[in-house]
Amino acid sequence: MLAARVLDHPAFAPELLALAAVEAVGPRAREWARRLRDAYPGAGADGLARLATRRFVRQAGAGGATAALAGAFAPVAELAVLLWAQANLVLHLAAAYGLDPAHPDRAVELLVLTRVHPDAESARAALAAARAADAPDEAGWPRAAEAAWRLAAPLAAQAGGWLALRLASRLLPGAAVLAAAAGDAAAAERLAARAIAAYRRSPTG
């Protein structure tokens, strides 16, 4: 269902992925936090956040290394793997700080924290347009064009980076795999720092 909607409305791929992540991952993240708090009553939010960060930074790095083996489709494959790992990371961090990871607001925060949108207002507008994408109107087209541009930017960056890595890998076999793993892990760590800072300031966190 998600794949079909993304193919039908590729301009809204980031928003559709965010909505799907909150729906699919949110309940699991909530249950993860509940189990850990039951097992370790003295564990604080920062402790849970460290566990989540370690887990999903490793996942992002491993996913990047695996995606590096996808040949010509490596940039797209890596971006998809990275976005899903980042969604898991943000939603588990939200749960660590006492927020409901299945709440619709998490989709807004996910788009802002991953820098798909600059602020919550534009993220909410894009999410509303994505939900209504099956029945577009004239007002939806500017938002669709903006979303397409925001999606194209990371894809172009990934493709450019992979071109350089392909050239380097001719001299150093395996360079693309190592660089993808390191780069995606570092990106996840930066995202974790932004999310932790935001959720620590939240009324619940």
Side-chain angles (χ1 to χ4, degrees):
M1 181 63 177
L2 172 62
R5 290 207 72 201
V6 169
L7 289 174
D8 287 342
H9 309 287
F12 292 114
E15 290 76 21
L16 292 172
L17 284 168
L19 291 169
V22 169
E23 182 178 350
V25 177
R28 295 202 300 267
R30 183 170 54 208
E31 178 61 18
W32 167 85
R34 186 195 65 77
R35 286 199 313 269
L36 285 179
R37 289 193 179 97
D38 287 348
Y40 307 101
D46 287 341
L48 297 185
R50 284 192 294 271
L51 288 175
T53 298
R54 283 199 295 268
R55 174 182 173 184
F56 292 108
V57 164
R58 284 197 303 268
Q59 186 180 101
T66 301
L69 304 175
F73 295 99
V76 176
E78 184 186 356
L79 184 62
V81 169
L82 180 59
L83 287 174
W84 197 251
Q86 288 181 339
N88 271 274
L89 173 59
V90 169
L91 294 174
H92 280 74
L93 289 173
Y97 285 96
L99 297 170
D100 181 3
H103 192 281
D105 283 351
R106 303 294 87 78
V108 175
E109 294 158 6
L110 181 56
L111 291 171
V112 174
L113 288 167
T114 55
R115 295 178 173 171
V116 172
H117 289 279
D119 52 50
E121 183 180 357
S122 64
R124 286 193 183 93
L127 286 166
R131 291 187 183 99
D134 289 328
D137 55 24
E138 292 183 2
W141 284 109
R143 291 195 295 268
E146 179 189 357
W149 172 255
R150 292 187 180 282
L151 178 61
L155 281 172
Q158 292 290 100
W162 273 102
L163 178 60
L165 287 174
R166 282 182 179 278
L167 294 174
S169 64
R170 294 181 181 178
L171 300 176
L172 181 62
V177 173
L178 294 174
D184 288 356
E189 286 178 346
R190 292 192 295 270
L191 173 60
R194 293 195 297 272
I196 289 171
Y199 290 140
R200 274 178 178 163
R201 293 195 301 266
S202 71
T204 304

